[in-house]
Amino acid sequence: MEKKHFDKAILVTGGAGFIGSHLVRRLVKVYPDTLVVNMDSLTYAGNLENLTDIEDYPNYRFEKADICDATSVMSILRRYHIDGVIHLAAESHVDRSISDPLDFVRTNVMGTVNMLQCAKNYWESLPEKYTGKLFHHVSTDEVYGALELGNGQMFEETTRYDPHSPYSAAKASSDHFVRAWHDTYGMPTLVTNCSNNYGPNQFPEKLIPLFINNIRNRRPLPVYGKGENIRDWLYVEDHAEALDLVFHNGKAGDTYNIGGCNEWRNIDLVKALVKITDQELGRPEGDSVHLINFVTDRKGHDLRYAIDASKIEHELGWRPRTCFEDGLRATVRWYLDNISWLENVTSGAYADYYKRMYSGR
Ligand code: NAD
Ligand code: DAU
């Protein structure tokens, strides 16, 4: 019923989170003839404040629901006549997966299987079945495991899965289920595996926003181990653009790697972040360097990630647009200009988590 004024309806799960909110904003603005339904259970990481600028758009709807709840998911699929699902909802923080692995199995594995099964049941009930339908699963480069230093290797779409953390094991498992629904039931599915995102609206438990907030508050910056681990950083809006392209133009059954071609050693990134944040706060150069504090390493800490994104570049013409220096400065500026957002999300339960995580360091 809801869909009759629109050409098509897309369900985005986890649209109130970091990447999901940037994707929802982009879809709502770029495709006024598409109904965009954001389904999110609003865990600690989900925040509707991320979307206040588009909440009144005629082609946007929000539904508070859990991806593990089959009754709610079926009712949303039917009510909005959903043609495509872009599935981002997940537990996403590696440190939390080490302390609470079962939450990650429930949401990332069971939740994904529930989404697949509901989409299958709904689409198979329609006269057109799977025609014009797609289930796009948003995953991570962490499923490929860890690369060594200095050998120039990169993760390709064909790299063997080798997850190490409970988070990446749960994501790897969910990727396999998505491919199983394609191969077994003929459901049009595809998977994207992306590297580390950064930008506005990321929950400040992840490296970049946590450290910006700590520099602001003159709190220690807990660098794990010797800070030698390497990540490949991508600006979140570039990821949202890639997801849009793959969803609309990618090939069902395929996998697309997405990355920034932008590898940084953690300690070098932290020093760059300290410099930019001090500048933006109007503090003297080097003022916050003393906050850098080497702490016990993360258990099973993957050494290096690096994505080979040549497939999406050659097939769909996507490349990251944002240079790291500009993206990082814009990100620092955003957090400093949105202190009330930071304070809202770091109060309550997160304050207890923060104390537990960082006590004694
Ligand atoms: P996030 O933690 O910021 O957001 C997750 C969202 O999912 C939140 O809005 C949360 O409320 C919602 N959610 C969690 N459990 C739910 C449930 N049971 N039912 C409904 N909603 C639920 O995560 P993010 O960083 O935006 O990551 C989004 C997706 O992208 C994840 O699948 C993640 O694995 C993947 N990914 C993230 C990165 C990254 O660098 N952040 C990189 C590659 C892939
Ligand atoms: O690679 C993609 C993944 O990137 C996503 O799938 C995950 O959802 C996302 O959280 C991210 O995982 P990481 O573990 O790489 O991100 P995080 O920001 O937690 O850590 C980045 C690096 O910084 C990592 O090597 C661990 C280190 N680190 C992190 C924190 C939070 C620290 O040294 N100190 C810290 O306090």
Side-chain angles (χ1 to χ4, degrees), residues 19 91-95 139-142 167 171 194-197 202 205-211 221-225 227 229-233 266 269-270 295 297-298 301-303 305 357-358 361:
I19 300 169
E91 288 295 336
S92 66
H93 190 40
V94 173
D95 292 324
S139 191
T140 171
D141 59 357
E142 303 203 7
Y167 164 70
K171 290 296 290 188
C194 188
S195 64
N196 284 63
N197 285 216
Q202 186 170 31
E205 62 187 349
K206 309 280 167 64
L207 181 76
I208 290 181
L210 173 72
F211 279 29
L221 308 175
V223 175
Y224 298 160
N229 305 68
I230 292 181
R231 297 292 181 264
D232 172 2
W233 293 95
N266 287 345
L269 168 56
V270 168
V295 299
D297 208 354
R298 176 185 274 175
H301 197 173
D302 286 336
L303 188 54
Y305 302 145
M357 275 296 293
Y358 301 109
R361 286 183 161 173

Side-chain angles (χ1 to χ4, degrees), residues 13-20 39-47 65-68 87-93 106-107 138-141 167 171 193-198 201-203 205-206 239:
T13 70
F18 168 46
I19 300 169
M39 189 187 102
D40 196 300
S41 64
L42 300 180
T43 68
Y44 78 95
N47 186 353
D66 188 325
I67 56 169
C68 298
H87 175 46
L88 293 96
E91 288 295 336
S92 66
H93 190 40
R106 178 189 180 272
T107 301
V138 177
S139 191
T140 171
D141 59 357
Y167 164 70
K171 290 296 290 188
N193 296 88
C194 188
S195 64
N196 284 63
N197 285 216
Y198 71 99
N201 302 109
Q202 186 170 31
F203 196 86
E205 62 187 349
K206 309 280 167 64
H239 187 192

